[in-house]
Amino acid sequence: MKRREFIKLGVGAAANSWSYAAQAQQSSMPVIGFLSARSPSEAASVLRAFQDGLGEHGYFEGKNVEFEYRWAEGRYDRLPELAIELAVRQVNVIAATGGDPSPLAAKLASTTIPVVFTMGGDPIKAGLVTSLNRPGGNITGSTLMGVELGPKRLELIRQLIPKATTISFLVNPNFPQTASEVQEVEAGAHALGIKISVLPASTEGEIEKAFENIAQQGADAMIIGTDPFLLSRRDQLARLAIGHALPTMSHLREFVVAGGLISYGPSIIAAYRQAGSYTGLILKGAKPADLPVLQPTKFDLAINLKTAKALGLTVTSTILGLADEVIE
């Protein structure tokens, strides 16, 4: 969606909601607007992590804080209107989660309501903050650095499958960071002498079709993009990967738990817990401009040996020695 259309949609939604705002009764408890590009069923674990972080500062849902939930369920075009709804509701803080589209929508919805984000890209390049140490404005949060780790994931899958010459890269073309991520992975592939075949998929049906095309491309493995929609389809991806005898590399252990082969990246649970903690600090009076954007300091390698066996792969002792988590 173009920025001009994005803003137009937000303004229109706001205009249609002013009457609601005038009639709404303000709660005696602070209200957190939880804006997510994901869906409630598959994001339950990260929501618990957010609430745990919030609880570190004495805030508990239904006891002394309320939540207003807005789930886009993988449809990023819904986020601008959902963010406007929260702004009109005059929530105390917006927790913009589930990837880069959520904080981008929240930024356009309000320049005064504090926003705490979780995202995978660079918040400076995205225009969310002016610097990591001193964000400025009304926005702060944490980044998973998902895009920057693409070449490293490529190196690891090559170590696991040394003879791999062609690797498919499954991406969602609607995700804002996809172009940057493809560039990073293609640069890494060029250095390793690997051919990258980009497969776009933004719906369940397109994911099925992408796997059908893999046999024609002769791919030796697949890297899964950092898009939140693809994360929400991790069970489907694991099933299809096994069915097509295709090793997969992803950015979060959640894929490996679902049955994917290998992952390398930070803890998304830790990022959400930190977002909850920042939200608690803001409710106590802290300003987003004074809370530095946090980056992960630890990256974990997870391997599913059951999946490796099903794919007929032998995981070397070298790879096992690097692994932080082995699922058997």
Side-chain angles (χ1 to χ4, degrees), residues 10-316:
V11 171
N16 293 331
S17 303
W18 293 125
S19 59
Y20 164 77
Q23 297 173 5
Q25 294 182 352
Q26 295 297 317
S27 170
S28 59
M29 291 189 284
V31 180
I32 297 170
F34 193 87
L35 178 68
S36 177
R38 299 171 64 178
S39 54
S41 57
E42 60 85 18
S45 60
V46 291
L47 175 58
R48 284 194 299 271
F50 179 90
Q51 292 174 331
D52 288 344
L54 189 65
E56 293 174 358
H57 300 282
Y59 290 100
F60 302 94
E61 183 177 12
K63 182 179 179 181
N64 56 0
V65 69
E66 293 182 0
F67 276 69
E68 282 278 346
Y69 293 100
R70 298 293 187 275
W71 303 93
E73 299 185 334
R75 289 185 50 192
Y76 300 149
D77 60 325
R78 297 182 60 200
L79 286 165
E81 184 174 358
L82 296 178
I84 288 289
E85 288 180 8
L86 294 175
V88 170
R89 173 68 172 80
Q90 296 181 12
V91 297
N92 297 87
V93 184
I94 296 177
T97 69
D100 303 38
S102 291
L104 291 172
K107 178 180 175 63
L108 290 177
S110 176
T111 58
T112 57
I113 297 175
V115 175
V116 178
F117 63 76
T118 61
M119 62 184 295
D122 185 336
I124 298 176
K125 288 183 179 179
L128 292 172
V129 300
T130 56
S131 76
L132 298 181
N133 291 332
R134 301 284 294 180
N138 63 316
I139 302 177
T140 189
S142 60
T143 173
L144 295 170
M145 295 177 61
V147 174
E148 294 86 345
L149 292 176
K152 180 63 177 180
R153 296 189 188 99
L154 193 61
E155 291 178 18
L156 288 167
I157 195 70
R158 182 65 177 274
Q159 287 185 46
L160 184 60
I161 310 171
K163 295 182 180 180
T165 57
T166 301
I167 294 180
S168 293
F169 188 22
L170 185 68
V171 300
N172 180 356
N174 297 329
F175 185 53
Q177 295 297 325
T178 291
S180 297
E181 193 168 4
V182 169
Q183 290 177 358
E184 291 278 351
V185 170
E186 286 183 338
H190 179 74
L192 294 172
I194 294 174
K195 178 184 176 182
I196 291 293
S197 173
V198 178
L199 294 173
S202 58
T203 67
E204 293 181 27
E206 289 177 356
I207 290 175
E208 297 276 349
K209 185 177 180 179
F211 274 84
E212 292 173 3
N213 292 334
I214 286 174
Q216 301 174 359
Q217 298 176 350
D220 301 300
M222 172 185 280
I223 295 180
I224 299 171
T226 61
D227 162 59
F229 168 72
L230 296 178
L231 172 61
S232 74
R233 303 309 308 161
R234 54 191 177 275
D235 292 334
Q236 178 190 15
L237 290 169
R239 171 178 57 79
L240 288 170
I242 291 293
H244 287 79
L246 190 69
T248 57
M249 160 62 83
S250 53
H251 66 298
L252 296 173
R253 67 175 293 274
E254 281 71 13
F255 284 95
V256 177
V257 172
L261 176 62
I262 187 171
S263 69
Y264 180 74
S267 168
I268 192 171
I269 296 295
Y272 272 78
R273 188 182 184 99
Q274 182 58 57
S277 179
Y278 263 17
T279 300
L281 287 173
I282 290 171
L283 289 177
K284 286 189 170 182
K287 295 180 179 180
D290 299 328
L291 297 175
V293 174
L294 299 177
Q295 296 175 290
T297 57
K298 187 175 185 296
F299 302 99
D300 293 332
L301 178 67
I303 301 174
N304 190 318
L305 289 184
K306 183 178 179 181
T307 298
K309 182 178 180 180
L311 294 173
L313 290 175
T314 299
V315 181
T316 65

